[in-house]
Amino acid sequence: MDRLQSTISVSSEAFRRHDAHNRRLVVELRARQEAARHQRPARDLERLARQKKMPARQRIEKLLDPGTPFLELSTLAANMAYGGDAPSASSIVGIGVVAGREVMIRADDPTVKGGAWYPLTMKKIVRALDIAMENRLPVVHLCDSAGGFLPLQSELFPDKYVGGRIFRNQSLLSKMGVKQLALVFGHCTAGGAYIPGLSDYSVIVRGSGAVFLGGPPLVKAATGEEVTVEELGGAEMHTSVSGTCDWPADNEEHAIALGREIVAQWGRPKKWEAQWQAPEPPLYDPTELYGIIPDDIKTSFDMREVIARIVDGSRFHEYKPNYGTTLVCGFAHIWGFKVGILANNGVLFNDSSIKGAHFIELCNQNNTPLVFLQNITGYMVGREYERRGITKDGAKMIMAQTCSKVPKFTVMCNGSFGAGNYGMCGRAFDGRFLFAWPNSQIGVMGGDQAAKTLAEVKINQIRRNGGDVDPQEIEALISQTRAAYQQQLSAYYSTSELWDDGLLDPVDTRNALGMAISVSLNAPIGEPGYGVFRF
């Protein structure tokens, strides 16, 4: 493959301004991540120490093979919810290597309300198990939860994608032959009791681990029976009487050691044979991404410059370079894995939409995973483009992308607006992973467009009713709409709501994609099949 030739001047004023802006965003991102991971009230840390418990992240560190990476997902989940009281949605989720095997790790965080599950906690756990099913990833559950956060119980229990979905996913994982291990460090109460109950293997720590559908206070209230934690659901009872758990552990270190031994007995999945070659680093310095991404969401840039700093050797075989030029398509390698890349260089027109659909079909024909690099304002609107069939051409791209059999990965590099988000494999389209950069924005449209659209609707309404347009009222409407949109367009709002799998420092994108592609190869791919293309 030919190397991409960068035309960026790293000494230009624009590059230096963009670089400074994006480095500030990354500093803020890392500060927020650090706070979500480690800042806890002293009383909660002291409580863990008294109970002879490790913090959740220390448990994960001891579980992982030394010197191996951990791809943490959705670190900033719930960062704009619950008054900031549930950092990381009180749960840590990520992919790592245990006993030489790639696994999904899901850990309750007992420093957050005793590990209580908020609505977004359940959404995060469901997403983790979805990833495990999609990629045939074994799961290790590190259990230490007080159960559901009862003040929000109506958002925890009845709906399809909350509490019950966790246990449904666990059952399906077992049916698929994807192994699960529960390490019970603390209490597993109410629905949380089913985590070890539905796991294939379970270890419980003496003295601190407990599993029960109702704790001693609930048992007394419901039946009048007085019983201790140990009698009701402790390690000795569950490993010698009920059989709910398999191994007792003397302490947390012992439980983790047993867990590693158990994982070491598991067979290794046979990955499907994706095209691969020896990896090489990009020719261009990935830190130059900071100077390439603009400091204004509306400013355009060439996505080839981004590709050149992510892919192996900065080599890129571009497909149809002279046709549909607002969508860049082509083949490259990331950490040795061959991928097909679709990247936005402007609004999607008829030709770029058709080009994208055709390229997606080629990647499916050749079993080549797809990587979508989003910077999209949407599909082109207007009378001329509707007459040309922009709706049906956009639908072709959406159909091809939706029905793809190969793994799909999405990175929101800048803007992600309108139906362009759909064609470029937004969250609704079951990509294996979706990451975002801290500068990115997602919405039906940008804040300015939304404000102007609503103002135009308001003006027309007033005139239809025979009234006079008050410029101050219209300006107030525009300001209010823009302000509301800006908050909800933010990457931090998006990741708080789990619309992505985590915010990335742009420099880390290559590594995150490399790990994501690797784990995706555990799941077999099927035969291609499409619905009806409207011609």
Side-chain angles (χ1 to χ4, degrees):
M1 294 182 185
D2 293 333
R3 293 188 191 272
L4 287 165
Q5 299 299 312
S6 177
T7 60
I8 291 292
S9 171
V10 298
S11 61
S12 70
E13 179 184 347
F15 183 95
R16 292 197 301 269
R17 187 179 71 251
H18 298 164
D19 181 84
H21 171 79
N22 286 300
R23 286 181 185 274
R24 286 194 296 271
L25 293 184
V26 168
V27 167
E28 179 187 3
L29 170 63
R30 296 204 177 279
R32 289 185 181 226
Q33 289 175 330
E34 178 70 14
R37 287 169 177 156
H38 301 295
Q39 286 186 12
R40 299 291 186 273
R43 66 178 182 276
D44 291 323
L45 298 175
E46 291 165 0
R47 173 174 49 80
L48 281 192
R50 285 196 307 272
Q51 296 171 342
K52 298 182 180 179
K53 289 183 175 183
M54 289 185 256
R57 292 182 183 277
Q58 188 177 350
R59 292 168 177 165
I60 293 173
E61 184 179 348
K62 289 183 176 293
L63 179 68
L64 293 170
D65 289 357
T68 58
F70 180 61
L71 178 59
E72 185 173 350
L73 305 175
S74 301
T75 306
L76 296 176
N79 79 92
M80 296 179 70
Y82 317 127
D85 287 342
S88 291
S90 76
S91 180
I92 303 162
V93 163
I95 297 167
V97 179
V98 177
R101 291 146 177 86
E102 295 168 331
V103 300
M104 170 65 75
I105 298 172
R106 185 208 66 76
D108 299 313
D109 186 348
T111 63
V112 182
K113 304 289 187 186
W117 289 357
Y118 289 75
L120 286 172
T121 312
M122 292 190 168
K123 187 176 181 182
K124 186 171 180 178
I125 297 172
V126 169
R127 174 60 183 154
L129 297 180
D130 281 343
I131 291 171
M133 287 195 293
E134 291 164 356
N135 298 285
R136 303 298 195 272
L137 270 178
V139 183
V140 180
H141 302 272
L142 308 186
C143 305
D144 193 350
S145 173
F149 186 64
L150 293 181
L152 298 175
Q153 66 85 25
S154 65
E155 300 176 52
L156 301 173
F157 179 71
D159 206 358
K160 182 175 181 179
Y161 292 104
V162 286
R165 194 75 171 187
I166 296 171
F167 313 124
R168 173 261 193 191
N169 282 4
Q170 280 194 271
S171 301
L172 291 180
L173 280 166
S174 190
K175 175 183 176 181
M176 294 162 62
V178 180
K179 299 169 184 65
Q180 295 177 80
L181 163 66
L183 302 180
V184 181
F185 297 106
H187 288 190
C188 295
T189 307
Y194 291 111
I195 295 285
L198 289 167
S199 293
D200 306 300
Y201 304 81
S202 61
V203 177
I204 183 170
V205 178
R206 289 187 175 100
S208 59
V211 178
F212 31 57
L213 296 181
L218 179 58
V219 169
K220 184 175 181 180
T223 70
E225 180 184 11
E226 293 192 8
V227 62
T228 68
V229 167
E230 286 300 311
E231 292 171 331
L232 186 62
E236 295 303 327
M237 193 281 289
H238 275 313
T239 57
S240 64
V241 179
S242 76
T244 299
C245 297
D246 304 320
W247 289 270
D250 297 330
N251 51 47
E252 295 199 358
E253 288 85 353
H254 186 205
I256 292 169
L258 284 171
R260 287 182 51 79
E261 288 180 15
I262 292 165
V263 175
Q265 311 309 311
W266 296 348
R268 298 176 187 273
K270 180 175 174 56
K271 294 177 180 280
W272 62 271
E273 294 183 3
Q275 293 187 57
W276 187 87
Q277 65 184 32
E280 58 178 319
L283 177 66
Y284 300 102
D285 185 353
T287 62
E288 292 174 358
L289 289 169
Y290 299 140
I292 292 166
I293 305 304
D295 52 2
D296 183 342
I297 197 77
K298 296 187 290 294
T299 301
S300 63
F301 60 95
D302 188 351
M303 194 64 86
R304 294 178 187 84
E305 298 288 356
V306 172
I307 295 169
R309 288 154 181 86
I310 292 176
V311 303
D312 291 9
S314 302
R315 300 180 190 277
F316 185 61
H317 179 65
E318 188 165 353
Y319 170 73
K320 283 186 181 288
N322 299 325
Y323 180 81
T325 55
T326 59
L327 184 65
V328 177
C329 300
F331 299 101
H333 292 80
I334 296 176
W335 279 106
F337 298 110
K338 184 177 180 181
V339 296
I341 296 176
L342 295 91
N344 301 120
N345 256 13
V347 67
L348 288 164
F349 291 96
N350 300 74
D351 54 1
S352 46
S353 303
I354 294 169
K355 171 181 170 179
H358 192 181
F359 181 71
I360 290 168
E361 289 182 301
L362 295 178
C363 289
N364 277 268
Q365 181 190 61
N366 204 37
N367 291 346
T368 303
L370 290 162
V371 174
F372 296 84
L373 302 179
Q374 287 194 3
N375 178 31
I376 182 62
T377 56
Y379 291 93
M380 191 61 191
V381 299
R383 180 172 59 185
E384 176 187 352
Y385 300 100
E386 293 294 352
R387 289 173 66 86
R388 291 184 189 177
I390 186 62
T391 299
K392 70 177 183 179
D393 290 339
K396 292 185 183 77
M397 183 176 172
I398 291 172
M399 177 73 76
Q401 183 268 109
T402 302
C403 299
S404 290
K405 66 171 183 174
V406 296
K408 301 179 291 187
F409 309 88
T410 303
V411 182
M412 290 168 45
C413 300
N414 203 46
S416 180
F417 298 110
N421 169 272
Y422 301 160
M424 291 294 292
C425 195
R427 189 59 147 179
F429 290 83
D430 294 329
R432 298 294 181 89
F433 295 87
L434 187 153
F435 300 109
W437 289 355
N439 58 292
S440 66
Q441 295 182 9
I442 180 171
V444 174
M445 60 183 72
D448 288 340
Q449 292 94 327
K452 291 174 183 176
T453 300
L454 287 179
E456 188 68 24
V457 170
K458 182 69 173 178
I459 290 169
N460 290 339
Q461 182 184 53
I462 292 171
R463 287 173 175 164
R464 279 198 307 270
N465 294 333
D468 295 326
V469 175
D470 183 347
Q472 291 184 335
E473 179 185 353
I474 298 302
E475 186 56 40
L477 174 63
I478 290 173
S479 297
Q480 291 167 7
T481 303
R482 186 184 291 117
Y485 256 73
Q486 285 307 119
Q487 181 187 24
Q488 294 181 6
L489 291 172
S490 159
Y492 290 106
Y493 187 88
S494 174
T495 204
S496 178
E497 295 295 314
L498 286 150
W499 297 345
D500 55 52
D501 294 314
L503 299 187
L504 295 176
D505 178 340
V507 171
D508 294 333
T509 303
R510 171 179 162 81
N511 289 341
L513 286 174
M515 289 188 69
I517 295 167
S518 176
V519 302
S520 76
L521 304 182
N522 294 328
I525 57 175
E527 295 298 320
Y530 298 99
V532 176
F533 287 94
R534 184 174 293 277
F535 289 101

